Amino acid sequence: MVTTTSKRDVVDAMKLLTVHLRIKRYNPEVDTRPHWQDFEIQAKAADTVLNALHTIKWTIDGSLSFRRSCAHGVCGSDAMVINGENKLSCVNLISDVGTDLVIEPIRGLPVIKDLIVDMEPFFAQYRSVIPYLIADDDPGYKERYQSQDERARYDDTTKCILCACCTTSCPVYWANGEYVGPAAIINAHRFIFDSRDHAAERRLDILNQKSGVWRCRTSFNCTEACPRGIKVTQAIEEVKRAILYDRI
Amino acid sequence: MIVGAGGAGLRAAIEVSGKCRTAVLTKLYPTRSHTGAAQGGMCAALANVEEDYWEWHAFDTVKGSDYLGDQPAIDVMCQEAIDAVIDLEHFGLAFSRTPEGKIDQRRFGGHTRNHGEAPVRRSCYAADRTGHMILQTLYQQCVARDVNFFNEFQVFDVLFEGEGAEKRCAGVVAYELSTGDLHVFASKGVLFATGGYGKMFRISSNAHTLTGDGPGVLFQNGLPMEDLEFYQFHPTGIYGLGILLTEGARGEGGILRNGLGERFMERVAPTVKDLAPRDMVSRAIHAEIKEGRGAGPDKDYVYLDLTHLPPEQIDAKLPDITGFVRTYLGIEPKTDPIPIQPTAHYAMGGIPTNINGEVVIDTNNTVMPGLYAAGECACVSVHGANRLGTNSLLDIVVFGRRGGRAMAEYVNVVNHPNITKSAANKVRDHIERVKASGGGEKVAELRTTLQETMTRNASVVRTEESLREAKATIDDLRKRYQSISIDDKGSIFNSDLTEALELSHLLDLANGLVMGAIARQESRGAHWRDDFPTRNDVKWMKHTFAYQDEDGNVTLKYKAVVGGKYQPMERKY
């Protein structure tokens, strides 16, 4: 058995670094428009960006506002723009993103306060694609069978945590909020390609409308932004092909 | 009215929707709930891959609970487990499948065939993201049923009307995070499903938001909390961070090794080895470290070794947790062992309920009409002194459903309560006091001090001395809490304020936990007293009921464990 503690040098990971954070602030009770505020803190290389934000909130300025919960990338609360890219603050270490950080709220959704945006439009678009299983058969009181291949067909899109990193990285979405966006499409994909589901056509009809998949210009921003590693653009393409060729 | 939108709250919402007007209040968005972080699976004796019976599951749960679980409740859970899994499959849950297409099952700690003979494949799972799948699936079903959600509404008080035997639950007071408005929700039925309170510990697998709001609010209103001293420490948290690495990793064949490379669980549990229940594994890790066989520069952790597993198996069955290890430790689990230590994980104790989710308010099982609880915030008690892995996901769907069903029946036969706007005054005063205070004590500093003392003095191994030290620190923190002040005086998304209110719940529940632990002079399940290292069935086969008075003082009462066909015996694995 190998007994090295870590490939990453433990001493380096624990060393305190000076981190500069430039954060876009907006408090509607005081400000007429957003403004930048600079902070300087000490953080370890192995700390996350969320740790750094907490250091500010808990020791410098308690009014700094952002959402967070699980702190390890499964709840999807803390999507933000970090040095120009959509990321979850809790899965990006200082050693990954550097010591000069520019942090802004995700784009395309109305900012409420600091890094907190209004998520309702995003969830409304999610709800619009019938994101739940519809099965016409009655399996009785026993499980339905599904082969491992059938299960694998939609595995990738079950990983979605609805963080909005993909949708709010999409230039089409920034320009046109009517577009349902990548997150809604992959949640439709998850059911369209589930062998147990019988409502694929209804979802494809929805996604064949002006607000649907044809808005996608295949920029791959969504795939790059996804913290779960979902092949978002590929899933969107699969939905497009299902509409065009009637193939599921 | 359902408070909390994790697995238990959403399962209850599915059950009540269509039967009565329903609202789900959550301080998050439903899909942010910590059910989504559960990894390994949900046990049910489906017998899809090998012989199994719900009675075996019940036996394991009783034994795992160190005989503090109530056997009739455990029977209900293990019997209904099978229906609960089939329900989830019908709801569309993407279970991992066997080659024949059946729901696949894998091994998990403490789950055995035929009363302890060998590990059994009982855990139904979806890779290592079963909780994520359950949370998403239940939320999807709520969308399908058009359930009415109040997202980012945080409940800070519960309301009652009437006196004595006429007293009943009448609603809640909620704080709307996006506006700072206080809302009085008059309701015939309220079901709390707010999850755990693991943020009272420094090393914890819990989300920042797990601050015991439901139990805290009820405790502060004079209702009892059951078995608070029984708090589970999961053996395999990522070293230094506490992030959970599923027991499924050992179910797939992972091995624990000390700093010398020894498989120490062979000594502790010769039959099931690394798949012993969590309390035993956590204590074994503690012992290895204490006796100088830990790993690392400070010899303060041990290893979870997956390096002998086929890489394809790791990718297929454990993709998420190996990703966490790469992200946070920079280690490749396929080639290097993972540094781990026990992490605060799960509250076996909480709001006492019966098997229908009805909250009971005394040791005679008197029900408070209209008040329900389910999930981690509740104590049925099916987990007793130590919960078996996977039984929490089972608990939330079984008792979420039962609680929802009971509440829907009740609200359709009673009148609407009379509640006025002034019901919010108590919370309003608390908020105004915190906002106006110039006392100078900082919430984060108090919380960190609480977390430090709880992890040091009230975790895997406890003594009278360590618990007294924790108690003294908590007493001091509760005094200092009276002088907290916050920076943010605004109304919109004032998390400076909500963190302050949440801290009051953590302090009260930590105090109840420590008081119960000091009093319980025995070792049972997760509650291990080095100064009383044996189980004492004559004196302590009973549940603790802690009550907090208006001055914050705790008194303890006790209720006998409800037995069944399994008689207490020594716990060997």
Short mmCIF file of all heavy atoms in Angstrom, two decimals, chain A residues 31-56:
data_model
loop_
_atom_site.label_atom_id
_atom_site.label_comp_id
_atom_site.label_asym_id
_atom_site.label_seq_id
_atom_site.Cartn_x
_atom_site.Cartn_y
_atom_site.Cartn_z
N ASP A 31 -28.02 51.27 -2.04
CA ASP A 31 -27.33 51.61 -3.28
C ASP A 31 -28.32 51.87 -4.41
O ASP A 31 -29.37 51.22 -4.50
CB ASP A 31 -26.41 50.46 -3.72
CG ASP A 31 -25.41 50.09 -2.63
OD1 ASP A 31 -24.95 51.00 -1.93
OD2 ASP A 31 -25.11 48.88 -2.49
N THR A 32 -27.94 52.80 -5.31
CA THR A 32 -28.75 52.98 -6.52
C THR A 32 -28.24 52.07 -7.63
O THR A 32 -28.96 51.74 -8.54
CB THR A 32 -28.69 54.45 -7.01
OG1 THR A 32 -27.31 54.83 -7.06
CG2 THR A 32 -29.45 55.35 -6.07
N ARG A 33 -26.98 51.67 -7.55
CA ARG A 33 -26.43 50.75 -8.56
C ARG A 33 -25.32 49.91 -7.92
O ARG A 33 -24.79 50.28 -6.86
CB ARG A 33 -25.91 51.53 -9.75
CG ARG A 33 -24.65 52.33 -9.44
CD ARG A 33 -24.21 53.11 -10.65
NE ARG A 33 -25.19 54.14 -10.98
CZ ARG A 33 -24.88 55.26 -11.64
NH1 ARG A 33 -23.65 55.46 -12.06
NH2 ARG A 33 -25.79 56.16 -11.89
N PRO A 34 -24.97 48.80 -8.55
CA PRO A 34 -23.91 47.95 -7.99
C PRO A 34 -22.56 48.68 -7.99
O PRO A 34 -22.34 49.59 -8.80
CB PRO A 34 -23.86 46.76 -8.95
CG PRO A 34 -25.15 46.79 -9.70
CD PRO A 34 -25.55 48.22 -9.77
N HIS A 35 -21.70 48.28 -7.09
CA HIS A 35 -20.36 48.87 -7.03
C HIS A 35 -19.37 47.79 -6.60
O HIS A 35 -19.75 46.76 -6.04
CB HIS A 35 -20.33 50.04 -6.06
CG HIS A 35 -20.70 49.65 -4.64
ND1 HIS A 35 -19.78 49.33 -3.68
CD2 HIS A 35 -21.92 49.50 -4.05
CE1 HIS A 35 -20.41 49.00 -2.55
NE2 HIS A 35 -21.70 49.09 -2.75
N TRP A 36 -18.10 48.04 -6.84
CA TRP A 36 -17.07 47.06 -6.47
C TRP A 36 -16.54 47.38 -5.09
O TRP A 36 -16.38 48.53 -4.72
CB TRP A 36 -15.91 47.08 -7.47
CG TRP A 36 -16.32 46.60 -8.83
CD1 TRP A 36 -16.66 47.39 -9.90
CD2 TRP A 36 -16.44 45.26 -9.27
NE1 TRP A 36 -16.99 46.61 -10.98
CE2 TRP A 36 -16.86 45.29 -10.62
CE3 TRP A 36 -16.25 44.01 -8.65
CZ2 TRP A 36 -17.07 44.14 -11.37
CZ3 TRP A 36 -16.46 42.87 -9.40
CH2 TRP A 36 -16.88 42.94 -10.74
N GLN A 37 -16.22 46.32 -4.35
CA GLN A 37 -15.56 46.53 -3.05
C GLN A 37 -14.39 45.55 -2.95
O GLN A 37 -14.52 44.37 -3.30
CB GLN A 37 -16.53 46.33 -1.90
CG GLN A 37 -15.92 46.73 -0.56
CD GLN A 37 -16.93 46.69 0.58
OE1 GLN A 37 -18.11 46.40 0.39
NE2 GLN A 37 -16.44 46.97 1.78
N ASP A 38 -13.26 46.04 -2.48
CA ASP A 38 -12.07 45.21 -2.36
C ASP A 38 -11.86 44.75 -0.93
O ASP A 38 -12.06 45.51 0.02
CB ASP A 38 -10.84 46.00 -2.83
CG ASP A 38 -10.89 46.27 -4.33
OD1 ASP A 38 -10.74 45.30 -5.08
OD2 ASP A 38 -11.14 47.44 -4.72
N PHE A 39 -11.46 43.50 -0.81
CA PHE A 39 -11.14 42.93 0.50
C PHE A 39 -9.79 42.22 0.41
O PHE A 39 -9.41 41.71 -0.65
CB PHE A 39 -12.19 41.89 0.94
CG PHE A 39 -13.56 42.46 1.12
CD1 PHE A 39 -14.49 42.44 0.09
CD2 PHE A 39 -13.94 43.02 2.35
CE1 PHE A 39 -15.76 42.95 0.27
CE2 PHE A 39 -15.22 43.53 2.53
CZ PHE A 39 -16.13 43.50 1.49
N GLU A 40 -9.08 42.19 1.51
CA GLU A 40 -7.83 41.44 1.57
C GLU A 40 -7.89 40.56 2.82
O GLU A 40 -8.14 41.05 3.91
CB GLU A 40 -6.64 42.40 1.66
CG GLU A 40 -5.32 41.72 1.45
CD GLU A 40 -4.18 42.73 1.47
OE1 GLU A 40 -4.06 43.52 0.51
OE2 GLU A 40 -3.42 42.72 2.45
N ILE A 41 -7.70 39.27 2.62
CA ILE A 41 -7.78 38.34 3.75
C ILE A 41 -6.62 37.34 3.68
O ILE A 41 -5.94 37.25 2.67
CB ILE A 41 -9.11 37.54 3.74
CG1 ILE A 41 -9.25 36.74 2.43
CG2 ILE A 41 -10.30 38.46 3.94
CD1 ILE A 41 -10.10 35.52 2.57
N GLN A 42 -6.45 36.60 4.75
CA GLN A 42 -5.49 35.50 4.78
C GLN A 42 -6.28 34.20 4.59
O GLN A 42 -7.31 34.00 5.24
CB GLN A 42 -4.76 35.45 6.12
CG GLN A 42 -3.98 36.72 6.46
CD GLN A 42 -2.80 36.91 5.53
OE1 GLN A 42 -1.95 36.05 5.42
NE2 GLN A 42 -2.78 38.05 4.83
N ALA A 43 -5.78 33.34 3.71
CA ALA A 43 -6.45 32.05 3.50
C ALA A 43 -5.41 31.01 3.15
O ALA A 43 -4.33 31.33 2.65
CB ALA A 43 -7.48 32.16 2.37
N LYS A 44 -5.74 29.74 3.42
CA LYS A 44 -4.85 28.65 3.04
C LYS A 44 -5.07 28.30 1.57
O LYS A 44 -6.18 28.49 1.04
CB LYS A 44 -5.14 27.41 3.90
CG LYS A 44 -4.88 27.62 5.39
CD LYS A 44 -4.92 26.32 6.16
CE LYS A 44 -6.32 25.75 6.32
NZ LYS A 44 -7.13 26.38 7.37
N ALA A 45 -4.04 27.76 0.94
CA ALA A 45 -4.17 27.35 -0.46
C ALA A 45 -5.28 26.31 -0.62
O ALA A 45 -5.97 26.26 -1.63
CB ALA A 45 -2.84 26.78 -0.97
N ALA A 46 -5.47 25.48 0.42
CA ALA A 46 -6.48 24.42 0.34
C ALA A 46 -7.88 24.92 0.71
O ALA A 46 -8.83 24.15 0.66
CB ALA A 46 -6.09 23.26 1.26
N ASP A 47 -8.00 26.19 1.10
CA ASP A 47 -9.34 26.74 1.38
C ASP A 47 -10.12 26.91 0.08
O ASP A 47 -9.54 27.11 -0.98
CB ASP A 47 -9.23 28.10 2.07
CG ASP A 47 -8.95 27.98 3.56
OD1 ASP A 47 -9.20 26.89 4.12
OD2 ASP A 47 -8.48 28.96 4.16
N THR A 48 -11.43 26.87 0.21
CA THR A 48 -12.27 27.12 -0.95
C THR A 48 -12.58 28.62 -1.05
O THR A 48 -12.38 29.37 -0.08
CB THR A 48 -13.60 26.36 -0.83
OG1 THR A 48 -14.29 26.84 0.33
CG2 THR A 48 -13.38 24.86 -0.70
N VAL A 49 -13.10 29.01 -2.19
CA VAL A 49 -13.55 30.40 -2.34
C VAL A 49 -14.66 30.69 -1.33
O VAL A 49 -14.73 31.78 -0.76
CB VAL A 49 -14.02 30.67 -3.79
CG1 VAL A 49 -14.61 32.06 -3.92
CG2 VAL A 49 -12.87 30.47 -4.78
N LEU A 50 -15.50 29.68 -1.07
CA LEU A 50 -16.55 29.87 -0.06
C LEU A 50 -15.95 30.16 1.31
O LEU A 50 -16.44 31.02 2.04
CB LEU A 50 -17.47 28.63 0.00
CG LEU A 50 -18.59 28.69 1.05
CD1 LEU A 50 -19.54 29.86 0.78
CD2 LEU A 50 -19.38 27.38 1.09
N ASN A 51 -14.87 29.44 1.67
CA ASN A 51 -14.19 29.74 2.93
C ASN A 51 -13.77 31.21 2.96
O ASN A 51 -13.93 31.90 3.99
CB ASN A 51 -12.92 28.90 3.09
CG ASN A 51 -13.21 27.42 3.34
OD1 ASN A 51 -12.50 26.55 2.85
ND2 ASN A 51 -14.24 27.12 4.12
N ALA A 52 -13.22 31.69 1.84
CA ALA A 52 -12.75 33.08 1.79
C ALA A 52 -13.92 34.05 1.97
O ALA A 52 -13.81 35.05 2.69
CB ALA A 52 -12.04 33.33 0.46
N LEU A 53 -15.05 33.76 1.34
CA LEU A 53 -16.23 34.62 1.50
C LEU A 53 -16.71 34.61 2.95
O LEU A 53 -17.12 35.63 3.49
CB LEU A 53 -17.35 34.17 0.55
CG LEU A 53 -17.09 34.37 -0.94
CD1 LEU A 53 -18.18 33.71 -1.77
CD2 LEU A 53 -17.01 35.87 -1.28
N HIS A 54 -16.67 33.43 3.57
CA HIS A 54 -17.08 33.34 4.97
C HIS A 54 -16.13 34.13 5.87
O HIS A 54 -16.55 34.75 6.85
CB HIS A 54 -17.14 31.87 5.42
CG HIS A 54 -18.47 31.23 5.18
ND1 HIS A 54 -18.62 29.90 4.84
CD2 HIS A 54 -19.73 31.74 5.22
CE1 HIS A 54 -19.91 29.63 4.70
NE2 HIS A 54 -20.59 30.72 4.92
N THR A 55 -14.83 34.10 5.54
CA THR A 55 -13.88 34.88 6.33
C THR A 55 -14.25 36.36 6.30
O THR A 55 -14.24 37.04 7.33
CB THR A 55 -12.44 34.67 5.80
OG1 THR A 55 -12.13 33.28 5.91
CG2 THR A 55 -11.43 35.48 6.59
N ILE A 56 -14.63 36.83 5.11
CA ILE A 56 -15.05 38.24 5.01
C ILE A 56 -16.33 38.45 5.83
O ILE A 56 -16.41 39.36 6.66
CB ILE A 56 -15.30 38.63 3.54
CG1 ILE A 56 -14.00 38.58 2.76
CG2 ILE A 56 -15.92 40.03 3.47
CD1 ILE A 56 -14.17 38.75 1.25
#
